[in-house]
Amino acid sequence: MTGPAEVRCMLMRGGTSKGAYFLAEDLPADEAARDDLLLRVMGSPDPRQIDGLGGAHPLTSKVAVVSRSADPQADVDYLFLQVAVDRPEVTDRQNCGNILAGVGPFAVERGLVAAGDDETVVRIRMLNTGELAVASFPTPGGRVDYTGGAEISGVPGSAAPVVIEFPRGGSPLLPTGRVRDVVVGTEVTCVDNGMPTVLIPATAVGISGHESPKDLEEDLALADRLREIRLEAGRLMGLGDVESATVPKLSLLAPPKNGGAVTTRTFIPVRCHTSIGVLGAASVAAGLLLPGGVGEGIGELPARGDRMRIEHPAGFLDIETSVDPGSAEVAPAVRRTAVVRTARKILDGTVFPRSAGTAPIPPRPQGGQR
């Protein structure tokens, strides 16, 4: 396939991820041509991504496609695309709350939304799920200011805060309809508060849950066990065959060590996350608040308020979540979710994709946009 020889692009850090941000109008309208172009932009398939923008890890091989929204409840539309590192694959079957942190500032930078004098609020429709998010960030003098005192674990230094609130969505919090399921002989809680996630007590799969991501990735027996759980849980959650999908995520739960509510080790889906995704953390927090869930007896819930600290390998993520536990007649539901992230513009200019090759692009995995 062929495509443009050069493309306008902004490289941004969003939360604890990094990705290439594009206006939809700057990319081919045809999905196959777009995906082919993005593979060449990011340097995939290649474990080093040496010939593109990718950073040889799923957390740095991400793409945001942004456009004005036709939805009266939103200002812009955001499509997240995960570009595989070592495979010729681009998928939209998951969302990304970290890359989401950069969407509002990018929309202002590209003129899709007018900046306020002090602060700008951008309503974002997340096309992967159809749900909404509202991002607020400083724009003194009508310009995005990336400097500030907000710090997040996994990112050195500080930057301006981006407050993201997630209005209550339409998807069921418990995709299986049950607070506990037994999957491959393991009790789990399947939850979706923006990211389909399977919560698993770490001890149930033979680990403490405090191991390093590297050690966990090298545990082949653990990898086989988690794969079996993920495939079966995916079917139970209505996601179909998830063999080639990046959802559901698996979050292993262990007691906190540094004053938080819980310690997590999250798989995305094979690599162990060096921190935790925003929407994954939102799902963990909501799951911990469910009476009867597998987090009972593991997590230490805050005595007051909605703010919960989720510990992960690089530190912690603070998230505010409240849940209506429901009743025999009414299913549990999330009342509110909000998180503070940061974002930073790294580079704005033109990217030159490598020359088009002859390797075919595999068909997009079926099963819906998640």
Side-chain angles (χ1 to χ4, degrees):
M1 296 182 181
T2 59
E6 56 186 73
V7 189
R8 185 166 56 155
C9 172
M10 185 178 292
L11 189 66
M12 299 186 74
R13 176 187 60 76
T16 54
S17 293
K18 184 167 61 177
Y21 289 66
F22 298 92
L23 288 176
E25 65 192 50
D26 290 334
L27 296 174
D30 177 77
E31 285 188 2
R34 180 200 66 196
D35 292 354
D36 173 72
L37 174 66
L38 293 176
L39 287 166
R40 293 185 287 118
V41 164
M42 301 305 285
S44 297
D46 171 25
R48 296 184 300 160
Q49 291 183 315
I50 196 66
D51 204 26
L53 294 179
H57 193 282
L59 298 183
T60 56
S61 188
K62 299 185 174 187
V63 168
V65 182
V66 183
S67 60
R68 285 189 174 88
S69 182
D71 187 331
Q73 298 183 78
D75 300 307
V76 298
D77 288 343
Y78 155 53
L79 176 67
F80 171 71
L81 297 172
Q82 179 71 59
V83 180
V85 175
D86 55 359
R87 304 185 311 280
E89 179 181 291
V90 180
T91 178
D92 62 2
R93 291 189 69 184
Q94 72 169 75
N95 205 344
C96 181
N98 275 303
I99 291 297
L100 172 64
V103 171
F106 175 78
V108 171
E109 295 268 13
R110 286 289 188 261
L112 301 182
V113 176
D117 291 336
D118 296 307
E119 181 184 73
T120 299
V121 177
V122 178
R123 301 171 303 162
I124 303 165
R125 180 171 64 165
M126 300 177 287
L127 295 181
N128 302 75
T129 61
E131 295 172 346
L132 299 174
V134 181
S136 306
F137 48 93
T139 52
R143 295 176 62 89
V144 179
D145 186 359
Y146 297 97
T147 62
E151 299 180 1
I152 60 175
S153 294
V155 177
S158 63
V162 179
V163 178
I164 305 174
E165 185 148 0
F166 301 96
R168 181 173 174 174
S171 301
L173 179 60
L174 294 173
T176 70
R178 297 173 293 274
V179 74
R180 284 192 187 220
D181 289 282
V182 177
V183 179
V184 195
T186 305
E187 286 197 331
V188 306
T189 293
C190 299
V191 62
D192 184 355
N193 186 21
M195 178 67 70
T197 304
V198 183
L199 307 184
I200 308 169
T203 55
V205 290
I207 65 171
S208 72
H210 297 108
E211 294 85 350
S212 72
K214 180 176 182 294
D215 288 343
L216 293 177
E217 288 182 356
E218 292 175 350
D219 187 335
L220 300 183
L222 175 65
D224 288 341
R225 177 81 175 276
L226 294 180
R227 177 180 177 275
E228 290 181 332
I229 292 174
R230 199 176 78 85
L231 292 178
E232 179 60 25
R235 285 187 283 269
L236 288 176
M237 297 172 77
L239 300 172
D241 182 359
V242 298
E243 176 73 51
S244 60
T246 56
V247 290
K249 309 298 187 190
L250 306 180
S251 276
L252 309 184
L253 308 181
K257 295 185 71 175
N258 297 296
V262 71
T263 293
T264 59
R265 295 293 185 266
T266 301
F267 288 80
I268 54 171
V270 179
R271 301 289 297 271
C272 184
H273 206 310
T274 53
S275 56
I276 191 171
V278 171
L279 297 173
S283 291
V284 169
L288 289 178
L289 294 173
L290 292 171
V294 298
E296 277 193 340
I298 298 175
E300 297 180 8
L301 301 182
R304 64 180 66 183
D306 296 337
R307 180 166 294 185
M308 190 181 300
R309 176 158 290 183
I310 307 297
E311 297 182 5
H312 55 71
F316 62 86
L317 186 152
D318 285 337
I319 194 156
E320 296 182 2
T321 301
S322 60
V323 169
D324 182 345
S327 64
E329 295 79 23
V330 180
V334 173
R335 296 192 189 102
R336 176 180 180 271
T337 301
V339 66
V340 176
R341 296 274 84 187
T342 66
R344 192 174 77 82
K345 176 172 65 173
I346 297 172
L347 180 149
D348 188 6
T350 302
V351 61
F352 297 85
R354 70 163 183 260
S355 299
T358 56
I361 303 302
R364 180 179 301 284
Q366 299 301 306
Q369 290 188 329
R370 296 302 314 214

